[in-house]
Structures are given as C-alpha cells and as structure tokens.
Amino acid sequence: MKLISFLRGLVLARFSQTQKFWDARYAYHGEKAQLNLSSNTLEEESLHQQQLKIIEGIYQGKTGLDILDFGCGTGRFSIFLSEFTKSLVVAYDFSVLVGNFQKQNAGVTYTSDFGFVMARKYDNIFISLVLGAMNDADARHTASKLSEALKMMY
C-alpha cells in the first residue's frame, strides 16, 4: 500500500503536468504521440527496428516468462515482447495512452492500475526511458520498489 500511495502521490504531485502533456499530445497526435515528432517516418521506422533488435538481443532464447513492461506508453513493444518470448506481458502506464491503444493479443494485459501490477510477480521488468524522466531519488525508489515484484531467483 505504501508503494501505491507513493506512486499515486508522485504522479499527482510531480507528474500531473506530465500526464496533462501526454494526454493533450495523444489527443492531437494519436499513437504517434510517443514518437519524436520532429523525425520523419523513415527515421522513426529505422529507430523502431533498431530498438526491436536490442530487445531481441536481450531476450534471445528466453521463453515462457512473466514480463512487466513498465511505462509502456502505447504498448508498442508489449506485443513484440510477448510474441518473441512466447511470454505473458503486463503492460503498465499511468497515461491515457495505455487505455486507448489496447491491442488485442492473448499474451498482453494492458493496465493503468498499479495495484494490479504489484499484486503479481515477474521474471523480468522491461523499462524503456521511464526512469530517466524522474529525479535520481524517485528513480532509485521506484526501481527498488519494482524489484519487490520480481520472482525470487535461485
């Protein structure tokens, strides 16, 4: 409960302007809201393909996992993570974007409910760019709390 209260307070106090920004950006740009809008389509596609290659390298040979995609935004990597690893993925984001881009996939559950996220245990937590938007203390605290959602490795 303390973590949920902390994150709820963090979102409301420090990121309320951020959420308003992303909600407004989504309303105007749709799914492209998560991309660098100064880039052209070819640059965006090239970057996306490079990101997918990095993910392939990280998860090569790993299958049947429970993965948390923390700060998934539109969930653009969630389905790929699920299909590439033949795993179950919980895709979490506090933004309206996660609710608007829930793509149908049996291996992915989209949510903005942090209590739902923390009620489970994961083999791996995939985080892309989220902690960099926080100050050092909040990033360390969030990473520490998320580590509690990891399954014990022996």
Side-chain angles (χ1 to χ4, degrees):
M1 265 327 201
K2 284 184 178 182
L3 176 61
I4 294 169
S5 296
F6 166 78
L7 284 177
R8 190 172 291 133
L10 185 67
V11 168
L12 294 175
R14 298 193 182 156
F15 291 110
S16 63
Q17 294 302 315
T18 302
Q19 183 163 3
K20 288 177 189 174
F21 168 81
W22 284 111
D23 291 349
R25 188 170 159 115
Y26 160 72
Y28 186 77
H29 297 288
E31 190 166 359
K32 283 186 63 109
Q34 292 292 75
L35 303 174
N36 181 352
L37 296 175
S38 65
S39 299
N40 64 43
T41 303
L42 182 59
E43 289 171 327
E44 291 169 5
E45 182 58 28
S46 177
L47 175 61
H48 186 69
Q49 291 305 315
Q50 288 299 316
Q51 291 167 323
L52 294 180
K53 286 181 184 179
I54 291 168
I55 294 170
E56 285 177 347
I58 293 169
Y59 289 95
Q60 189 68 44
K62 298 176 179 145
T63 60
L65 304 172
D66 291 310
I67 300 172
L68 170 61
D69 184 358
F70 185 79
C72 69
T74 61
R76 65 186 180 138
F77 297 123
S78 305
I79 291 174
F80 179 78
L81 278 168
S82 175
E83 291 176 351
F84 184 75
T85 63
K86 298 173 182 52
S87 298
L88 298 176
V89 174
V90 172
Y92 168 81
D93 201 283
F94 74 86
S95 171
V96 67
L97 296 174
V98 75
N100 289 309
F101 289 108
Q102 293 183 11
K103 298 165 181 78
Q104 296 301 314
N105 184 289
V108 181
T109 301
Y110 294 91
T111 186
S112 58
D113 180 352
F114 195 73
F116 176 84
V117 167
M118 292 304 291
R120 288 159 172 67
K121 295 287 185 182
Y122 306 93
D123 297 300
N124 184 267
I125 300 175
F126 178 80
I127 305 174
S128 178
L129 305 174
V130 175
L131 298 179
M134 299 179 185
N135 66 41
D136 287 348
D138 290 340
R140 282 189 190 98
H141 183 75
T142 300
S144 173
K145 289 300 179 183
L146 285 174
S147 70
E148 296 173 9
L150 288 169
K151 293 178 181 175
M152 295 299 292
M153 299 295 205
Y154 298 99

